[in-house]
Amino acid sequence: MIILDGKKTSGAIKEEIAAAVVELKKQGKKTPHLAAVLVGNDGASMTYVGAKVKACELVGFESTLLELPDTTSEEALLHEIDNLNNNPEIDGFIIQLPLPKHIDEHKVLMAVNPEKDVDGFHPANVGKMALELPTFLPATPYGIMELLERYEVETSGKNVVVIGRSHIVGRPMSILLSQKRTAGDATVTLTHSRTKNLKEITKEADIIVAALGIAEFLTGDMVKEGVTIIDVGITRVEDASKKRGFRLAGDVHFDSVSKKASYITPVPGGVGPMTIAMLLKNTLQACQ
Ligand code: NAD
């Protein structure tokens, strides 16, 4: 069994990005600048945004963190987005999700200039992705494709089962894996909460991408020998033995599934760090 080490792989990608930034600076060109907008004080969101800002510093990017209270009106947030769209210093920006309930997420994502949409969530960029045109790929699926590619996991002609159909992970994952491309050419089944007999489907899979957000949902009896496992889930599970009172769990029951797997991503240290590295890569692309 081989661990698909997202921490190590993302480290290599960050080094490549840092070298590109040094080169840009040498040529007197602009330093990439990523802005992140955080509305409210959700603990997990604050951790994710903090990690993204720290990663920017590490590769030599400029970064701006815009922290807004959870009482921020939709109109005020749209105004801030307009400012970022029109600020030539900012190459790309992200709006950390989820947003407070009184704000229409769709309206907000639509307001982002597609050329600065380094999360790849704007419909214009989603459309380009589906049509295999150059664009910003959403960071989590992009990170998974990169991990499969760098570990040379064979996907061509393989049966891939994606669990979860969210707009940011499951759906784009199913599209990318089925495309004619590196780490693509797979036969993809997209499953979700209404899928019947999921276990029968997962047992046939050569590769499983679990992105449903239920801790340790996929167990050893649901997979076949030799399967490749991509675990996207991050759930906080209460754990009194930990100083912070919780541990992070993936969607995969690692102990039972890893016994049968040929490749598997750990949680933490798998998909999570890859997501951040690909966000940086998109920002570099936006700057260039
Ligand atoms: P989501 O809540 O938007 O979607 C969950 C999906 O799972 C839905 O499409 C639903 O139909 C499906 N689902 C729910 N119960 C199911 C069941 N019993 N059987 C089959 N399908 C079922 O989730 P999301 O935003 O895609 O996130 C999924 C998980 O991935 C979460 O734990 C999230 O925290 C994590 N995540 C991690 C990263 C990362 O960088 N590692 C990035 C994004 C999301």
Side-chain angles (χ1 to χ4, degrees):
M1 186 265 295
I2 294 170
I3 295 280
L4 296 171
D5 189 337
K7 202 167 168 209
K8 195 171 123 201
T9 310
S10 66
I13 295 169
K14 283 187 208 157
E15 275 176 26
E16 292 161 20
I17 294 171
V21 174
V22 169
E23 198 51 41
L24 284 177
K25 285 182 180 167
K26 239 194 244 165
Q27 293 170 8
K29 292 191 177 146
K30 186 182 176 307
T31 303
H33 190 156
L34 174 74
V37 182
L38 176 65
V39 187
N41 48 13
D42 173 71
S45 292
M46 285 164 83
T47 308
Y48 297 147
V49 167
K52 289 168 187 173
V53 169
K54 207 170 132 205
C56 281
E57 285 163 17
L58 205 77
V59 298
F61 284 7
E62 305 274 355
S63 66
T64 298
L65 173 58
L66 196 60
E67 288 177 281
L68 304 172
D70 58 5
T71 49
T72 303
S73 68
E74 187 179 281
E75 197 190 350
L77 178 58
L78 290 171
H79 179 69
E80 293 293 350
I81 291 173
D82 198 42
N83 286 343
L84 291 167
N85 282 340
N86 291 309
N87 182 346
E89 281 303 309
I90 306 289
D91 298 297
F93 64 98
I94 58 163
I95 320 287
Q96 186 65 40
L97 302 178
L99 288 168
K101 287 201 166 42
H102 65 275
I103 298 177
D104 180 344
E105 197 173 289
H106 183 66
K107 208 165 166 185
V108 167
L109 296 180
M110 285 285 286
V112 176
N113 176 350
E115 287 176 19
K116 294 192 176 188
D117 170 40
V118 286
D119 256 339
F121 293 164
H122 191 283
N125 289 327
V126 177
K128 284 182 179 173
M129 175 201 61
L131 295 171
E132 299 175 53
L133 296 170
T135 185
F136 301 116
L137 296 181
T140 302
Y142 190 9
I144 294 169
M145 297 303 280
E146 194 76 16
L147 203 53
L148 291 169
E149 191 176 329
R150 292 194 183 219
Y151 274 86
E152 295 180 357
V153 175
E154 182 61 83
T155 54
S156 178
K158 299 291 179 190
N159 278 335
V160 179
V161 173
V162 178
I163 313 176
R165 59 180 161 188
S166 75
H167 292 162
I168 62 169
V169 188
R171 176 90 47 189
M173 206 59 247
S174 70
I175 294 171
L176 292 169
L177 284 160
S178 69
Q179 286 177 344
K180 197 173 174 62
R181 54 169 292 155
T182 321
D185 289 322
T187 305
V188 182
T189 305
L190 181 59
T191 66
H192 45 78
S193 53
R194 298 294 177 95
T195 298
K196 295 203 170 91
N197 306 325
L198 182 66
K199 185 173 167 180
E200 279 169 31
I201 300 169
T202 54
K203 279 202 91 151
E204 294 298 315
D206 301 309
I207 300 171
I208 299 174
V209 180
L212 68 160
I214 301 178
E216 293 164 355
F217 175 87
L218 189 80
T219 46
D221 59 320
M222 296 172 77
V223 305
K224 72 174 181 187
E225 285 290 338
V227 67
T228 290
I229 300 287
I230 305 291
D231 188 355
V232 185
I234 309 175
T235 306
R236 289 181 173 199
V237 177
E238 266 186 52
D239 186 340
S241 72
K242 301 276 180 218
K243 214 166 127 194
R244 51 189 183 177
F246 65 88
R247 67 182 170 91
L248 294 181
D251 287 345
V252 176
H253 185 263
F254 189 88
D255 288 349
S256 60
V257 173
S258 62
K259 285 195 179 87
K260 289 175 144 181
S262 53
Y263 295 93
I264 187 166
T265 60
V267 175
V271 175
M274 289 301 292
T275 297
I276 295 182
M278 302 328 278
L279 175 66
L280 298 176
K281 205 160 173 173
N282 278 344
T283 306
L284 178 65
Q285 187 187 321
C287 178
Q288 286 171 331

